[in-house]
Amino acid sequence: MSKPTHILVIRLSAMGDVAMTVPVLRAFTKQYPDVKLTVLTREFFKPLFRDLKNVSVYPAHVKDQHKGARGLYKLSREIRPLKFDAVADLHKVLRSKVLKPMLGIRKVATINKGRKEKKRLIKGKDFKQLKTTHQRYADVFNTLGFPIDLSNPTFPKPTTLHDSCLKLIGKPNKKRIGIAPFAAHDSKMYPLEHMEQVIEKLSEDYQVLLFGGGSREIQILNYFESEDKGIINLAGKLSLDEELDVISNLHVMLSMDSGNAHLAAMFGIKVITIWGVTHPYAGFAPFKQPEDYCLLADRNQYPTIPTSVYGNKFPEGYKNAAGSIAVETIVNKVKSVIPA
């Protein structure tokens, strides 16, 4: 059987997971430039793939016209004329399981999420580094006959900032740090009163750009903002395209175990991550970041970490586990990775 020339890549949500596919797809396109990829994902995520050659995005509207079995059937009828000859399912959820047979494509590969190994990690039976999510994505393409070497990645150059961005952040004579203090679950976040201290200390030497979204986050970041100190809140002020432009120009991103870490890693930006009840051993550390860039909660104080893969489950008293990391530890780590 001949090798596929047009692969449908299914990766519907969430942003962090979608962002993690980008370095893998970039490596694929470098190593297999004659193969076309179409990513089935939410339309909002389209800018993430903007610099990938031979990669297009087909939007899945799973909350309206493509909702439910009937909507997925409609979606399958829409995309079948694109003539895919293979499917790479990087999602493996009910939606993708229902959709794949509707496409009538025989060559299908699906991600192995490693649930058994992750369960043993959570239960404390095997506290060791598991396969990274990036490698799990690469393994899917390997099954289709396209082994991907992730060892020597390339990254896009920083994007030239347009006036809309420069109007907000200016052209400071200081180096730029991005800080994204929020995560999907509070148990993955550094306590905000401590984060305020981190922001204040870093603003003494660097311009600090704050990232987030949603009305509550914007309100908190507005409180942290200080034009005089060079602390600027970007939340709610830029499109995703513009936000990616700014991220590509950072010297370092400080983030929780969250989507912003993966957005920065897509560009090869240095990413310092703060971990609460989750742990990089589960395989979700940002792409190609040194192990010591992950700042971990104290497992002597919180011995059952990781309490879950996604941070949605934790025992009583663990909610502020990330707070066991000292403010000075974070500040010093950020400063140590920024070139003089």
Side-chain angles (χ1 to χ4, degrees), residues 185-187 277 307-308 311-319:
H185 304 287
D186 289 350
S187 59
V277 300
T307 63
S308 66
N312 54 329
K313 297 176 184 176
F314 53 90
E316 189 176 348
Y318 273 60
K319 185 176 179 181

Side-chain angles (χ1 to χ4, degrees), residues 4 13 114 119 129 164 194 204 223 253 263-264 269 276 291 298:
S13 61
K119 191 172 183 179
Q129 179 66 58
S164 55
H194 296 169
E204 293 171 6
Y223 172 76
M253 170 69 86
L263 292 177
I269 303 301
E291 189 178 331
D298 185 351

